[in-house]
Amino acid sequence: MSSGSKGLEKVEVRLKWDPSPLGRPPHHLDIIAATYSADAPYGQPVYIVHFDSRSPDGTINMSRHSQTGQGFGYVEAMTLELDRLAPSFARVVVGVAIHQNTGPKFFGDLSNAGVLVVDGYTELMKDDFAQIAGSTAGTVAEFAKDTSGTWEFHEMVRGFDSEPAVFSAEMGSVPRL
């Protein structure tokens, strides 16, 4: 799916979840983006962007971050300026990971969790993680160049059972059948 003939240029991934119940450790989720080169679109990421980093060229960064889910609506956001990425990139995969510092937490343990991907005012996808309720991390979107070099969006909701650091390395892999 693309937004017009010129393809995607600047998109935002937004994340929401309700805070944990009073007296319980906070739920801490993170949006993570991994970039892949045209030479190895399913290999190791060239770089990874998450809550305390940004891409070396400033094209992917967090504009909002929450460690608790407190706030109204979408409390975490990542902006991806696809049109400014170097031509050597062919793919960007975006996912969400739940920190596991206080014991196992799964998407199904969260209330009012959701992700929204937008291109300006156009909603590309909206998901509540129900299909990956038993996972601790999951991919949500793939942005890939087509044969003409135009960036396209592909919904890619896929669950993983790994901590954020491990998930970052495996999130762009070829799905196992």
Side-chain angles (χ1 to χ4, degrees), residues 13-170:
V13 178
R14 300 173 186 162
L15 181 62
K16 70 175 183 170
W17 70 97
D18 284 345
S20 59
L22 189 62
R24 306 287 312 251
H27 301 308
H28 182 188
L29 283 69
D30 279 324
I31 301 172
I32 301 170
T35 59
Y36 299 89
S37 71
D39 295 338
Y42 293 92
Q44 290 297 311
V46 176
Y47 60 79
I48 296 168
V49 179
H50 50 80
F51 75 95
D52 66 351
S53 67
R54 69 180 191 105
S55 61
D57 58 4
T59 57
I60 302 173
N61 63 68
M62 296 292 297
S63 56
R64 222 176 4 221
H65 177 66
S66 174
Q67 294 185 4
T68 63
Q70 291 178 318
F72 295 106
Y74 293 91
V75 296
E76 190 156 308
M78 178 180 279
T79 303
L80 297 90
E81 295 182 67
L82 300 168
D83 61 328
R84 290 188 47 231
L85 275 172
S88 60
F89 292 104
R91 196 170 165 246
V92 179
V93 176
V94 179
V96 175
I98 305 169
H99 286 265
Q100 302 295 315
N101 305 9
T102 58
K105 290 182 187 169
F106 304 93
F107 285 108
D109 297 332
L110 307 172
S111 62
N112 198 32
V115 64
L116 175 67
V117 180
V118 295
D119 173 23
Y121 294 105
T122 303
E123 184 179 297
L124 299 176
M125 87 165 274
K126 189 175 194 177
D127 191 84
D128 64 2
F129 303 110
Q131 62 187 317
I132 57 170
S135 299
T136 60
T139 56
V140 294
E142 173 189 56
F143 301 95
K145 283 186 185 175
D146 66 12
T147 54
S148 69
T150 301
W151 285 98
E152 296 182 326
F153 167 77
H154 306 279
E155 187 170 324
M156 192 169 99
V157 180
R158 191 173 88 178
F160 291 80
D161 295 316
S162 51
E163 302 244 357
V166 175
F167 171 62
S168 298
E170 66 187 10

